[in-house]
Amino acid sequence: LIKLEENAPVLNKSLNDIAAMFPHLDFRAVAIHRNSKTIIPKGDDQFMKNDLSYVVTKPGGIDDLLKLGGKQRIDIRNVMIVGGGRVGRTTAGKLENKLNIKLFEIDKEKSMHLANQLEHTLVINGDARDIQLMEDEDIRGMDAFIAVTDSSETNILSCLHARKFGVKRTIALVENIDYIDISQNIGIDTIINKKLSTASHIVKYTMHAEVTSIKCLSGINAEVMELVANPHSTVTRKPIKELNMPKGAIIGGIIRGKDSHIAVGDFQIEEGDKVVVFSMPESIHKVDKLFNNK
């Protein structure tokens, strides 16, 4: 996911233009979120300032894509987490052996419990809305700020404060879905929403094709699915460019054994391939048929 800055070289250029200008780039733009609307892009669709662009590429292409989006890769070492609930506790536990973590929890008893659970995390009993406290705990020295309290409003506001203090990356847990679009528009980098994560699992079990994973993307209507190409299914019969993909759906990449491939037009999907598809909700069951058709 890349938010296009005002200095992004790709602004006002179509996907076809970018492919011609940078033929060495191996990428696939699979979704654009603009003015509260989601677009599954075609070759003549143009990128605009502040677009949230979902792009599939291999690890070697990430730096080039960041430059095209007007971004720079940031080295994350110091992280501040606000909220010691399940999400905050789990995040700290997974990161504390790799990064320097400070975790704020307003409840004293919960703070003591967290301090016993987390071996390498500095747990601070305090209110993250206290600006002086945040300054005292060196918020200006943080590379990333993660707000995951039970209050969407607190998470959004504390991320905005972190931005004012110069924190490079902010992540907020936003349970009110109506706030997601607003949050991204005012500068919060990443949104977490548990309702969307739960919805992903429900949709997975309504499909007939073999689905290895499905995820509702926060802030946009599109969903990303990893589907297995069944024997004799429609997707195995023609190259990607000749498949009659439903409107509002696009193939982003293919995993074949240990190899991964970007979904270019001449690529032929084979039986057993895991195929990453981005789709609008109304197109999901049409996509389902392409992978399940015998």
Side-chain angles (χ1 to χ4, degrees):
L1 169 62
I2 302 174
K3 183 175 182 179
L4 300 185
E5 307 292 347
E6 59 184 0
N7 61 332
V10 298
L11 293 186
N12 304 315
K13 293 182 174 60
S14 69
L15 291 174
N16 291 335
D17 293 337
I18 296 165
M21 292 171 63
F22 306 97
H24 66 287
L25 282 182
D26 195 12
F27 76 98
R28 180 87 154 172
V30 293
I32 298 171
H33 188 60
R34 177 187 301 153
N35 298 330
S36 303
K37 295 183 179 178
T38 302
I39 302 165
I40 300 296
K42 303 295 184 184
D44 56 356
D45 282 315
Q46 292 186 336
F47 288 110
M48 301 179 69
K49 180 184 172 183
N50 292 329
D51 278 355
L52 291 173
S53 303
Y54 290 77
V55 184
V56 176
T57 189
K58 293 184 179 181
I62 291 175
D63 285 339
D64 284 332
L65 285 178
L66 289 174
K67 290 176 184 175
L68 291 179
K71 302 281 189 180
Q72 291 182 335
R73 185 186 282 272
I74 295 172
D75 186 20
I76 304 293
R77 291 178 181 167
N78 301 309
V79 178
M80 188 173 282
I81 300 173
V82 176
R86 184 175 59 85
V87 177
R89 182 185 69 246
T90 302
T91 303
K94 290 186 175 183
L95 297 178
E96 65 176 356
N97 290 318
K98 305 172 187 175
L99 303 171
N100 302 317
I101 308 293
K102 288 186 178 182
L103 188 152
F104 280 81
E105 170 54 48
I106 196 169
D107 182 271
K108 187 174 182 179
E109 186 175 338
K110 187 181 286 188
S111 297
M112 294 174 65
H113 186 62
L114 288 166
N116 290 328
Q117 278 189 313
L118 299 167
E119 296 182 8
H120 304 293
T121 296
L122 176 60
V123 178
I124 301 165
N125 175 219
D127 189 344
R129 293 169 295 187
D130 183 338
I131 302 301
Q132 187 58 53
L133 175 61
M134 301 301 275
E135 287 197 82
D136 292 343
E137 293 299 335
D138 192 29
I139 190 172
R140 297 180 191 274
M142 295 296 123
D143 301 307
F145 184 93
I146 303 171
V148 287
T149 74
D150 292 334
S151 167
S152 296
E153 291 85 355
T154 296
N155 297 337
I156 293 168
L157 287 171
S158 58
C159 279
L160 291 177
H161 284 310
R163 274 287 193 193
K164 287 181 67 176
F165 284 117
V167 179
K168 304 178 187 76
R169 288 288 179 267
T170 54
I171 299 171
L173 176 65
V174 179
E175 287 304 330
N176 187 330
I177 292 178
D178 293 334
Y179 288 172
I180 290 177
D181 204 50
I182 297 169
S183 302
Q184 290 175 325
N185 286 334
I186 60 179
I188 298 174
D189 297 299
T190 304
I191 304 299
I192 305 167
N193 184 276
K194 289 184 284 189
K195 293 189 183 85
L196 293 180
S197 298
T198 302
S200 299
H201 292 286
I202 294 171
V203 173
K204 175 178 177 178
Y205 292 108
T206 68
M207 299 180 68
H208 297 287
E210 184 179 348
V211 185
T212 54
S213 68
I214 181 168
K215 184 180 187 302
C216 300
L217 299 172
S218 297
I220 73 170
N221 297 330
E223 296 166 4
V224 56
M225 302 170 285
E226 188 179 275
L227 300 159
V228 177
N230 285 335
H232 312 299
S233 57
T234 301
V235 293
T236 64
R237 298 174 189 170
K238 300 176 183 178
I240 288 173
K241 66 182 179 183
E242 296 179 20
L243 292 174
N244 187 23
M245 290 295 293
K247 184 179 179 181
I250 187 172
I251 295 173
I254 300 94
I255 302 167
R256 181 175 295 163
K258 295 183 179 179
D259 297 324
S260 59
H261 306 269
I262 305 301
V264 294
D266 293 327
F267 191 90
Q268 176 69 56
I269 295 170
E270 297 178 358
E271 172 189 339
D273 284 351
K274 293 180 180 179
V275 183
V276 180
V277 180
F278 288 73
S279 175
M280 301 295 283
E282 61 269 20
S283 303
I284 287 177
H285 289 293
K286 292 180 182 177
V287 172
D288 187 18
K289 290 179 181 179
L290 291 176
F291 284 81
N292 191 52
N293 188 22
K294 301 292 182 71

